[in-house]
Amino acid sequence: MKNKIRYIWAVLLFSSLTGMMSSCSDEPDTSNYYTFTGEMISEYLKSRSEFSDFTRIVERAGMMDLLSAYGSYTCFPPTNEAVAAYLKKHGKNSIEDLSDADCDTIARTHLVNNMYATSEMNDGVLTTANMNRRYIEISHELDADSNAVVFLNRSAHIIFTMQDDSVENGIMQPINEVLESSNSMLPDIMKLNPKISLFNSALIATGIADSMYKFRDETFNSKDWPRIRYVSHVNKETATVPDEKRYGFTAFVPTDSVLLEKYGIKTLEDMYKKACEIYDAVYPEDVNQPYHAFDQLTHRKNPLNRFIAYHVLTRDVKGWNYLTPLNDIGIITTLMNPVDWYETLLPHTMLKFERLTVRKYAGTSIVGQRYVNRRYDDDYQITGAKVERSIEKEYVQDALNGRYFYVDDILAFSLQTRDVVHNTRIRMDFSTIFPELMTDDCRQNGDPKKQDPDYDETAKYGRNYYFPDGFLDGVKLTSGLFLYRRPHDYYDCYEGDEMNLFGNFDITFRLPPVPYEGEWQVRMGYAQEPSRGIAQVYFDGKPQGIPLDMTIGLSDPTILGSDWVADYTTLSEIDQAADQKVLKNKGYYRGAAGGYRYNGAGGTTTAVFATQPQTFRIVFCTVHMDPNQDHYLRIRCVSSKKGNDNEFMLDYLELVPKSIYGVTDEGQMEDML
């Protein structure tokens, strides 16, 4: 409690410099309600007899006033026939047999606090959760009349002749079935699918299933934390804490048929033997240990335990389209595939997720698909495992605390994965380092094309979040504010979003794991701004170099000065290599040439990070890293020129092995992507 009080005091002190606070809500403030002259969602429902049952459900939920007033909603009203089928399925005779709580759940399941036309519904999940805080899965198929329609949760579909009907406060998308969401935990919904019986058996036998029942931290109450106001450069924004502190998991599961056809695996013991084949080579020190046995599957160093753990992420990835940067924002997809990295339940390991966009390296793979642990280039043709968009309609895919996907091969932290696939520059948007940002629906929320008014509190186009000390695993926030700013166009941010420190900040966080032991560079990409401050960086408690001044760009006289050339592509290869080496010797690199400032229209030519002196990478340190140990970065404010009004930007992190950064020592050039 003492720490919470101290933190609230720090927030209040900071806010006194930047503005007043107010309460927050996902739903519109009733003080903003006003009268419309056109038809509202409420009137649409009441005036159409085919939706009378759903209308009654909304009324019993007490939500009709909400749908009569200000807002921008998508409503998926099920027809009376759909409601009748739902009631029969659940042994009910009429709407009156439903409880008020049932009606509230049904109403909120069919309402989304954002407007979506069918043309904006892409495969994966709808990018805004429904008002029951669950994501609606989107796919595209033909209806009974051969019309191309949008399917929701793989079963219901939007009625073709009634779709995209606009009203004053939203858009109507009538559907032919009532949408339902499971309230079960992830291991329980997986048990219901007989096509993954072997994986489920291993999940239970190893005890890993038992660790996948966490859902919510009941001690966290968002009402304990105020909305804050802050200024970044010229942007005046607000942020709140997340609504909940949840735990989540995402599993990538090979079906029984995949295990049989590719590896001849028919039994749990067959799977154990395959696990030994993979992990005895990676962890030879464990081969002769007592826990290396088929009757010791619950030990975390048992080969089968490791095998299963590597298939499970420690976060809830909301949908197939969230596995890599949503809509490829800020990525020049003709130059590089969008890639994200996430930690697994196997300690000190990650999975690499990649959306295939560069046709040059497609091979026989499907452009637009997402793959795990892929490396396909001039040197290697490792295709990785393909992640299937969905599963069969008769099985539930998403649970209360996560979801699972089919993969067309096993996932393995093998010697090939460790030494080849992961032997690369590991670039991670800072929002992907902390699992809570994805599990709690913070990451890449909102509409990046929409700008907010100053100090916006409506969250109409998205929300910014801050994280109290103790909220993020592996993070110690001694002082200051640590927050996430949602994607905006015209922001100099990789993947459109960024994280920031404000005030007299002092933060320590656990670094993502490296795949193997050796020398690694730890780099960070950011945007220089005159409003930012100065910080000292520490690696494992030891200071690294001189303090970093975020008000200085590459064209500053202390770095390149007049030698700065914006369009580096006009330089010869020799001069490009020389440019890179000069910067490296000073502890810098140009920004990623595969990233650009998103401008809302998708233009990239004038905003490539590598051509701008304000968007670049700095080398925090070059250090020896042990893959079996946790390593930490500390960032501490050392600036006093702005008093307590300091800012530090964290955009993307790079962990770079010597096999990559060391090539410049031999006169070669590290690729600019």
Side-chain angles (χ1 to χ4, degrees), residues 130-393:
N130 62 30
M131 294 183 70
N132 205 33
R133 300 202 66 186
R134 302 296 290 272
Y135 281 78
I136 299 173
E137 185 180 350
I138 301 297
S139 57
H140 294 80
E141 300 178 41
L142 300 179
D143 65 13
D145 297 320
S146 298
N147 298 307
V149 295
V150 174
F151 272 74
L152 312 177
N153 293 349
R154 292 166 291 126
S155 182
H157 68 76
I158 297 173
I159 299 170
F160 182 76
T161 57
M162 305 175 77
Q163 66 185 21
D164 296 327
D165 197 349
S166 296
V167 291
E168 285 283 354
N169 59 343
I171 189 167
M172 307 301 296
Q173 303 288 7
I175 57 177
N176 70 328
E177 287 184 19
V178 173
L179 301 177
E180 296 185 71
S181 297
S182 172
N183 288 321
S184 300
M185 297 299 176
L186 183 56
D188 293 330
I189 68 163
M190 292 175 66
K191 289 177 188 175
L192 301 176
N193 186 346
K195 294 182 180 294
I196 56 172
S197 61
L198 266 176
F199 189 91
N200 283 327
S201 296
L203 198 67
I204 295 168
T206 56
I208 292 175
D210 295 337
S211 65
M212 295 168 60
Y213 281 89
K214 294 176 69 177
F215 172 50
R216 183 190 290 119
D217 182 350
E218 299 293 350
T219 66
F220 178 78
N221 186 348
S222 61
K223 294 180 181 179
D224 291 341
W225 304 95
R227 181 187 294 272
I228 63 164
R229 293 185 174 191
Y230 60 91
V231 179
S232 177
H233 192 213
V234 298
N235 302 288
K236 300 175 181 179
E237 300 173 351
T238 71
T240 67
V241 296
D243 295 328
E244 297 178 298
K245 181 178 179 181
R246 287 176 280 158
Y247 305 96
F249 306 91
T250 307
F252 298 88
V253 186
T255 61
D256 292 353
S257 60
V258 166
L259 293 172
L260 178 62
E261 292 167 10
K262 292 198 171 185
Y263 301 101
I265 295 174
K266 300 179 181 178
T267 66
L268 195 62
E269 190 164 6
D270 289 341
M271 191 183 292
Y272 171 78
K273 291 177 181 178
K274 184 62 182 178
C276 291
E277 179 185 322
I278 296 166
Y279 289 104
D280 286 0
V282 179
Y283 303 102
E285 66 276 11
D286 294 325
V287 172
N288 296 316
Q289 298 299 321
Y291 49 76
H292 191 284
F294 186 62
D295 61 356
Q296 298 292 321
L297 299 183
T298 59
H299 196 285
R300 289 304 183 226
K301 291 186 178 181
N302 181 277
L304 185 60
N305 199 294
R306 282 173 161 150
F307 180 93
I308 296 299
Y310 193 62
H311 287 77
V312 184
L313 300 182
T314 57
R315 66 188 69 207
D316 180 4
V317 181
K318 302 305 178 182
W320 181 82
N321 49 331
Y322 279 86
L323 290 171
T324 56
L326 192 62
N327 300 321
D328 307 327
I329 185 171
I331 308 293
I332 305 176
T333 55
T334 56
L335 296 181
M336 69 180 190
N337 295 331
V339 171
D340 275 326
W341 300 75
Y342 309 127
E343 291 189 57
T344 78
L345 284 179
L346 177 60
H348 301 109
T349 66
M350 292 197 290
L351 290 173
K352 175 189 178 186
F353 289 86
E354 187 166 0
R355 193 170 99 85
L356 180 54
T357 61
V358 181
R359 294 183 180 276
K360 177 181 178 182
Y361 297 118
T364 59
S365 299
I366 302 170
V367 173
Q369 257 289 358
R370 287 169 170 84
Y371 296 83
V372 188
N373 287 347
R374 176 186 179 89
R375 181 172 179 181
Y376 205 99
D377 52 31
D378 291 332
D379 300 313
Y380 298 95
Q381 285 77 50
I382 301 170
T383 58
K386 183 177 71 173
V387 184
E388 303 294 347
R389 297 183 188 218
S390 191
I391 66 171
E392 295 84 1
K393 293 180 180 179

Side-chain angles (χ1 to χ4, degrees), residues 1 13 26 74 89 91 108 135 151 154 181 204 252 288 323 370 386 410 452 503 544 580 634 669:
M1 178 59 71
L13 176 62
D26 281 341
T74 303
K89 175 182 175 182
R108 291 179 179 275
Y135 281 78
F151 272 74
R154 292 166 291 126
S181 297
I204 295 168
F252 298 88
N288 296 316
L323 290 171
R370 287 169 170 84
K386 183 177 71 173
I410 63 172
D452 303 313
Q544 303 295 316
Q580 187 179 82
R634 179 187 178 193
M669 184 177 174

